[in-house]
Amino acid sequence: MRFFDLFDEKNERRLVDLLAGLMIGIAPIVHLIVVGGIKIPYGRHTSRSWGPALSARVSWLLMESPAILVPVYLTLTVNADVPFTNWILLAMYITHYTNRSIIYPLRIRGGKASPIFIVFLAFVFTTCNGYMQTLYHLRCANYDSDWIYQPNFIVGASLFIWGMRTNIICDGILRDLRKPGETGYKIPHGSMFEYVSCANLFAESVEWTGFALASWSIQAAAFAIFTTLMLSARSYTHHEWYLKKFDNYPKHRKIFVPYLI
């Protein structure tokens, strides 16, 4: 018996609602922990005190791969008549993680190792979220055929596209800061980096906020809330690091939201 068959339709909806509630519940806790001083130990904040580590490329592949593997597995094994609009929303989710779990790791230049413990936590999260988003959009959601013409979908899809495009551009800016053989950190410039310290993280938050609007579901909203609180906390620690590291760091740059925060 497949794991997917263990749940009838009623229990499946309860499961995805439970997962969404848990995600919303832990989001502010994680935010406060990170802002409070416990930095996530990878990248510039890597610490050997967290135990054995894996290379940056391997870490990203392992952390993000469930976000592709789980949806693909469920898509291939689901036994349901899925409306076209549901496929569009699921395709948005998979498109992001195709870049994040395959293309992005392959383009990493160097990068610092990540503790295995952090990789494991991220692996669990992407597995659960991939399961929740896919199960909801394949088995629980029932969108009308004209859903894609509704204002929330149009605005949400537009934000998603802008966020993903900007996220990829900003990742490229960070990647190109160092020439082959160079080490150390530099101040990023260009695109949304002129407004916030962590433009790539801000753009990803916009991306998932757009997805939540387009989906109009508690499951997508839960992921957007968690992402925004997590990435804003990381942006805070990065911003503080930049200010301490560089005397000439642009003072007008905000932490996470252009012109505001």
Side-chain angles (χ1 to χ4, degrees):
M1 177 182 293
R2 297 173 302 177
F3 177 72
F4 197 84
D5 292 328
L6 294 176
F7 304 95
D8 59 27
E9 185 175 347
K10 185 176 181 179
N11 287 332
E12 286 171 350
R13 185 56 188 262
R14 289 176 177 173
L15 175 61
V16 296
D17 286 346
L18 174 62
L19 289 173
L22 289 173
M23 189 174 291
I24 293 173
I26 66 174
I29 298 173
V30 173
H31 177 88
L32 291 174
I33 288 174
V34 176
V35 170
I38 300 180
K39 298 178 178 63
I40 301 175
Y42 68 87
R44 70 199 65 186
H45 303 298
T46 294
S47 172
R48 293 183 178 180
S49 63
W50 286 76
L54 298 172
S55 70
R57 182 168 294 172
V58 172
S59 295
W60 276 104
L61 285 169
L62 291 177
M63 288 189 296
E64 304 293 301
S65 60
I68 288 291
L69 297 177
V70 172
V72 168
Y73 170 76
L74 294 180
T75 297
L76 293 176
T77 58
V78 68
N79 182 21
D81 183 15
V82 182
F84 179 70
T85 303
N86 296 49
W87 286 118
I88 293 177
L89 288 161
L90 188 57
M92 292 166 64
Y93 180 83
I94 292 176
T95 298
H96 168 88
Y97 278 108
T98 298
N99 171 66
R100 183 56 63 182
S101 65
I102 300 175
I103 299 173
Y104 176 78
L106 292 177
R107 299 184 71 185
I108 289 177
R109 295 177 182 174
K112 293 186 176 181
S114 298
I116 293 176
F117 177 68
I118 297 300
V119 173
F120 171 75
L121 291 180
F123 180 90
V124 172
F125 177 83
T126 53
T127 299
C128 292
N129 187 53
Y131 185 79
M132 177 177 70
Q133 301 301 336
T134 308
L135 186 63
Y136 176 79
H137 288 96
L138 286 185
R139 298 273 289 211
C140 302
N142 186 23
Y143 299 101
D144 294 331
S145 59
D146 64 346
W147 183 261
I148 59 175
Y149 303 109
Q150 300 302 313
N152 63 289
F153 181 89
I154 295 172
V155 172
S158 299
L159 287 174
F160 180 88
I161 293 170
W162 182 90
M164 183 171 180
R165 178 179 181 273
T166 305
N167 177 256
I168 292 173
I169 290 173
C170 292
D171 279 343
I173 290 173
L174 292 174
R175 185 173 56 250
D176 294 338
L177 284 177
R178 296 174 185 162
K179 296 179 181 179
E182 286 186 337
T183 59
Y185 289 91
K186 299 179 182 179
I187 299 174
H189 292 279
S191 188
M192 293 301 294
F193 280 113
E194 300 304 322
Y195 305 96
V196 292
S197 290
C198 299
N200 54 327
L201 304 185
F202 166 72
E204 186 171 350
S205 178
V206 171
E207 189 178 352
W208 294 120
T209 299
F211 180 72
L213 286 173
S215 173
W216 208 254
S217 66
I218 189 64
Q219 285 68 35
F223 184 37
I225 291 169
F226 184 91
T227 300
T228 299
L229 290 178
M230 167 63 84
L231 298 186
S232 61
R234 284 178 54 197
S235 296
Y236 173 79
T237 60
H238 287 1
H239 184 78
E240 292 294 300
W241 183 90
Y242 276 125
L243 292 175
K244 293 177 181 179
K245 179 74 173 179
F246 301 102
D247 293 334
N248 62 334
Y249 191 73
K251 303 301 181 183
H252 67 276
R253 288 190 189 179
K254 299 299 182 180
I255 298 173
F256 192 63
V257 182
Y259 304 111
L260 296 177
I261 302 173

